[in-house]
Every structure is written in structure tokens, then in C-alpha cells.
Amino acid sequence: MIPKYDRRSELKQKLLENLEQNILKFWVNKTIDIENGGFIGLVNESNQAEKSASKGAVLNTRILWTFSAACRYFNSKEYKTLADRAYNYISEFFLDKVHGGIYWELDYTGKPINRRKQVYAQAFAIYSFTEYFKITNQEDVLDKAVILYRLIEE
């Protein structure tokens, strides 16, 4: 019988390999939007990226959180680059610079098509900005998270 600690170590290694080789690699290979910036909003049931699909706030903030956390865990320059890409896209296109908050949905070119400010999206933006702050230590990133938090509280 394998001791308990050996099984945990083996399981951890298999999970990390699956994370990098399957999950993260999928997002790297299938969703980077070279033409319009950010990430493609939909991969269909045939595993094909739909370049004209809209882009949602929750998906994009989850991508930012994921690559920020992966960068911290794996100390990866590639994941940092992808986190930067996600953060820059969210900041440029999803943030409403007039009224504050994060738009719910953009078209594939980055134009808002649903300007609602749902708490769900604001919360995911806070999570992702704080995780991104951990890899950048940029005060303006943390400031954006605090502003969104205060917006929710109001």
C-alpha cells in the first residue's frame, strides 16, 4: 500500500500537469484574439473559435484571474503576458470610463452591446484585479478594485 502522503503528491502532480497541458493550453491555443485584442468570446461544440462572438465580462475577468494565479503559482512569463493582455483589454474596453463599473458584454470588436453593470461582473472584476495586483504590485490596479468595491457598496 502506498503511504497517504505519496498518493497526495502524485495526485497533485497529475492535477498540475492537467492544468498546464490541457486547461491552460486550451485557452492559450484557442482563445487569443489576434485581430481584435483580448480573447475570443466563444469556442463552439466543434472546438472552433467563433471570432465574431461577443465578449462577456465574467469570462474575461475569469481569464485575468486564472492567468494571474497561474503566473504566481508557476512563476511563468507566458502566463504573465496573458494576464497583462487580459488586464489591458478589460481596462480599455470593459471599464466604463464615464459612469464607472464594468460593462456586461462587448461585441467582438470591443464596443459595448450590453452596458448593464451587474454586481456579478463587478465582483469578478474585483477578484481578478486583486489577483493581478499580486503579480504586478501596480497601485492603479488595486485602485480599480477598490473603486469597483465602493460602487457595489453604493
Side-chain angles (χ1 to χ4, degrees):
M1 181 167 166
I2 300 174
K4 199 177 214 179
Y5 62 87
D6 286 341
R7 289 192 312 238
R8 279 192 222 150
S9 177
E10 181 182 337
L11 177 60
K12 179 181 176 182
Q13 188 57 39
K14 286 182 180 183
L15 290 171
L16 290 172
E17 286 174 18
N18 187 46
L19 175 62
E20 280 207 283
Q21 297 305 312
N22 296 316
I23 298 168
L24 295 175
K25 189 177 270 189
F26 170 85
W27 291 97
V28 170
N29 292 337
K30 290 286 184 182
T31 66
I32 296 173
D33 189 340
I34 302 299
E35 295 170 23
N36 296 294
F39 296 83
I40 292 170
L42 175 67
V43 177
N44 66 27
E45 63 279 355
S46 300
N47 207 23
Q48 299 300 309
E50 294 193 12
K51 294 180 180 183
S52 62
S54 64
K55 298 177 179 189
V58 174
L59 173 62
N60 279 268
T61 54
R62 284 180 173 181
I63 288 171
L64 173 57
W65 185 92
T66 298
F67 284 112
S68 296
C71 172
R72 276 192 333 122
Y73 188 85
F74 295 107
N75 194 24
S76 165
K77 289 181 183 180
E78 177 186 21
Y79 299 151
K80 168 70 167 60
T81 298
L82 292 166
D84 291 343
R85 178 185 193 84
Y87 175 77
N88 291 333
Y89 190 84
I90 292 165
S91 296
E92 185 174 346
F93 295 101
F94 277 100
L95 271 178
D96 182 342
K97 292 160 189 70
V98 176
H99 303 289
I102 300 288
Y103 296 125
W104 183 251
E105 184 179 15
L106 308 175
D107 73 7
Y108 72 99
T109 68
K111 293 183 184 80
I113 56 175
N114 187 335
R115 295 175 181 265
R116 289 191 313 189
K117 309 291 175 41
Q118 298 204 28
V119 172
Y120 193 65
Q122 310 313 302
F124 272 101
I126 293 168
Y127 299 151
S128 66
F129 288 170
T130 55
E131 190 66 28
Y132 184 68
F133 172 75
K134 292 175 186 178
I135 64 171
T136 65
N137 290 313
Q138 295 173 347
E139 288 297 321
D140 64 314
V141 174
L142 191 57
D143 291 344
K144 286 177 184 162
V146 171
I147 289 167
L148 290 172
Y149 168 79
R150 289 184 178 144
L151 180 68
I152 291 172
E153 286 296 304
E154 288 174 13

